[in-house]
Amino acid sequence: MQKNNSSLKSIAQKAGVSITTVHRALTGKKDCSDAMREKILKIAAEEGYAVNYYAASLGMKKVNIAVILSAHDDASPFFTDRLRRGLEYCQQEFSQFRIDYKFFTYSRQDVDAGFLASIAGGKEGNFDAVLMHVLSIPEKYIPALEKIIASGIPVIAMESSPIENSRIITVGMDGCASGCLAGELISKFVHSSGRAVIFSQEMNLGDESALNARNEIMQRRSDIDVEVVSLNPDSSDAYSIIKSYLDEKKPVAVYASCARNTLKCINAMKESGKCAAFIGSEIFYESYDALHSGILDAVIDNRPAYIGYTALKLLIEHLVKKLALKNSYRLQPILLLKSNSTARYEQVYRHVDVDLSK
């Protein structure tokens, strides 16, 4: 913050306090009440004074955030690594402030409910907020998370579907938008009748993208039969199931609603030959290559880094500015075709795929 004594004097006069008090409020010093600090910051903004609200507010106390993420595995580069990158980007943006992060990791298969209970009981530390990424939060986790919330600690889950009858805040991709976009593309790309196959992922809250893609196709094209095949992308037989569907049922269209199923479809079509209009999810090396080789017709990128960035920023703003949080935040996807995929791919893998302009 650049000092300007004439501006400080004007702010002090309007607030009815001394210049010293104004300076304390704008620099986060403790010798100023919260109510007076808010008043001074408001006047400063009206005066056009260059003040960093976050610095002023965070100077008052240290904020402790627990971050719960899945451990790195072979599937991480498709989504979770980019989500982590968004968190890191936000951490850097607020790096000059007094925020401590404690990271916890779990295997992709499960989060120990006892571990969540230990956070709720304060055994893992004293936190002001919890941020977590768990694919489709199982019901068994809800009681422990609700206990955390009941103690006054907000919980944000980087999760695409709102959790009904829960105070858990969700920030994630807009599955409705992704699915409707996929369904619209298939309806326009396919010029004959036949079967469309949607390879969805098994999720406790349901795969919203797959369901909305199915509904969109059915509304637009009565001549296309739609089949949704729910798969656990981590299972050993997921690839063989996809391969058999492509070889035996000869679909006219395919939509893979997650990155891992997209990769399996790409590999199956490489082996058997392209057999259908194919819409995939997320931009990564194999999907980018498949777009340019003609195997993939389009990719719906759900912007994992932006999800991570937005979730953490919302949490920090809530803790600092006391901004109210909504129950759910849905972030819009980006449609990629061969013509516009190169810039996006380069952006993602230059580690700058947090695009705040969209």
Side-chain angles (χ1 to χ4, degrees):
M1 181 183 68
Q2 185 178 0
K3 290 184 179 181
N4 184 316
N5 288 333
S6 60
S7 297
L8 289 176
K9 184 177 180 180
S10 175
I11 295 169
Q13 288 175 342
K14 288 188 176 182
V17 297
S18 67
I19 292 178
T20 300
T21 299
V22 171
H23 187 262
R24 285 172 179 166
L26 299 183
T27 55
K29 297 294 192 305
K30 295 182 179 180
D31 298 333
C32 181
S33 69
D34 289 346
M36 181 55 69
R37 190 185 307 276
E38 292 286 345
K39 180 179 180 180
I40 291 171
L41 288 170
K42 183 178 180 181
I43 295 171
E46 293 171 351
E47 292 276 302
Y49 194 84
V51 57
N52 189 318
Y53 184 96
Y54 299 105
S57 300
L58 281 173
M60 297 173 59
K61 68 171 186 175
K62 182 184 291 184
V63 174
N64 299 299
I65 299 176
V67 183
I68 306 171
L69 301 172
S70 61
H72 184 86
D73 62 15
D74 292 341
S76 295
F78 304 140
F79 192 94
T80 54
D81 280 358
R82 289 175 60 193
L83 184 143
R84 287 188 183 93
R85 195 182 305 158
L87 295 177
E88 292 168 359
Y89 189 96
C90 191
Q91 282 182 266
Q92 292 170 8
E93 183 171 312
F94 294 94
S95 62
Q96 68 269 44
F97 309 131
R98 300 183 67 198
I99 308 176
D100 279 354
Y101 304 89
K102 187 171 183 179
F103 287 83
F104 303 92
T105 58
Y106 64 93
S107 68
R108 177 177 289 277
Q109 285 69 33
D110 203 7
V111 176
D112 182 0
F115 162 69
L116 294 178
S118 70
I119 288 184
K123 295 179 181 179
E124 301 293 337
N126 296 316
F127 299 107
D128 298 291
V130 173
L131 179 65
M132 64 188 301
H133 178 233
V134 179
L135 182 64
S136 196
I137 295 176
E139 289 185 7
K140 66 180 180 179
Y141 299 160
I142 303 298
L145 293 173
E146 288 288 353
K147 186 176 179 181
I148 294 172
I149 295 168
S151 68
I153 301 172
V155 174
I156 288 186
M158 291 174 280
E159 159 73 59
S160 58
S161 300
I163 303 169
E164 294 184 3
N165 302 317
S166 171
R167 291 172 293 173
I168 300 169
I169 298 154
T170 57
V171 178
M173 66 181 186
D174 189 333
C176 179
S178 297
C180 290
L181 182 55
E184 180 179 352
L185 290 171
I186 286 173
S187 299
K188 292 180 178 179
F189 286 170
V190 175
H191 302 290
S192 61
S193 60
R195 178 190 301 270
V197 178
I198 299 172
F199 294 111
S200 70
Q201 55 182 333
E202 293 179 351
M203 302 174 72
N204 294 292
L205 300 178
D207 188 332
E208 190 178 29
S209 297
L211 295 177
N212 279 280
R214 180 196 65 184
N215 294 340
E216 189 72 16
I217 297 170
M218 291 174 65
Q219 289 176 10
R220 290 173 174 267
R221 295 289 299 272
S222 60
D223 60 328
I224 296 179
D225 295 324
V226 185
E227 182 174 0
V228 178
V229 181
S230 182
L231 298 170
N232 177 354
D234 293 322
S235 68
S236 58
D237 59 351
Y239 174 79
S240 61
I241 292 172
I242 288 175
K243 182 76 163 53
S244 65
Y245 263 85
L246 299 182
D247 290 344
E248 297 170 14
K249 300 203 174 183
K250 306 296 183 185
V252 295
V254 171
Y255 170 46
S257 67
C258 70
R260 288 171 291 159
N261 282 342
T262 297
L263 179 60
K264 290 177 175 63
C265 288
I266 290 171
N267 291 335
M269 288 191 186
K270 282 183 177 179
E271 185 174 340
S272 302
K274 179 175 171 66
C275 62
F278 178 17
I279 312 299
S281 298
E282 313 313 337
I283 189 69
F284 48 93
Y285 174 78
E286 291 86 354
S287 62
Y288 173 78
D289 185 63
L291 266 178
H292 285 259
S293 66
I295 292 176
L296 261 171
D297 295 289
V299 168
I300 299 172
D301 185 28
N302 289 294
R303 308 164 70 198
Y306 192 50
I307 292 172
Y309 172 86
T310 301
L312 183 53
K313 185 174 182 181
L314 284 168
L315 201 51
I316 292 172
E317 289 183 335
H318 172 69
L319 295 171
V320 172
K321 298 182 69 172
K322 308 302 180 185
L323 295 181
L325 291 168
K326 298 188 299 183
N327 178 253
S328 177
Y329 296 83
R330 302 293 196 83
L331 307 183
Q332 295 298 302
I334 294 175
L335 172 62
L336 298 177
L337 305 172
K338 179 179 179 180
S339 58
N340 70 335
S341 63
T342 298
R344 178 64 179 160
Y345 178 78
E346 290 179 351
Q347 180 189 45
V348 167
Y349 290 97
R350 283 201 308 264
H351 298 249
V352 292
D353 61 332
V354 181
D355 189 345
L356 306 184
S357 66
K358 296 184 180 297

